[in-house]
Amino acid sequence: GTLLREMMEDPLLTQYSVVMIDEAHERSLATDMLLGLLRKVQRRRPELRIIVSSATLAAHELAAYFTAGMPSLDAPLRPGAPACHAPAILSIEGRTYPVEVQYLEGACGD
């Protein structure tokens, strides 16, 4: 919500060079609106770096969302236009640990 409020004052986020959205898999109206607005900002400011982190989000679909409609990587750029790069997708594998559930035989005293 904070970044959305800031975008009301500065729609192109000119004070930022990088924006990171954490826990994007916990979708909300605010997160979805922010991702949509950041996609529009990225069209006007290709130098803006957007980092999206998520434990479960489908990374390739999200990358396709942000690159849809962008010039092809093979297409010749007009002079002075910033280069278009494919988004990097990093995957960091987590560890799982065994969980042991134990129950009391009776109620606990106070």
Side-chain angles (χ1 to χ4, degrees), residues 14 32 37 45 59 65:
T14 57
D32 288 354
L37 290 170
R45 290 193 54 213
Y65 171 74

Side-chain angles (χ1 to χ4, degrees), residues 38 41 67 110:
L38 285 173
V41 170
T67 57
D110 287 335

Side-chain angles (χ1 to χ4, degrees), residues 73-87:
L73 297 177
D74 300 325
L77 296 173
R78 66 183 187 279
C84 179
H85 300 286

Side-chain angles (χ1 to χ4, degrees), residues 46-92:
E47 77 282 0
L48 178 67
R49 298 294 171 240
I50 301 170
I51 301 170
V52 181
S53 67
S54 171
T56 59
L57 204 62
H60 293 285
E61 286 83 359
L62 189 63
Y65 171 74
F66 273 97
T67 57
M70 295 290 279
S72 169
L73 297 177
D74 300 325
L77 296 173
R78 66 183 187 279
C84 179
H85 300 286
I89 297 176
L90 303 175
S91 177
I92 301 171

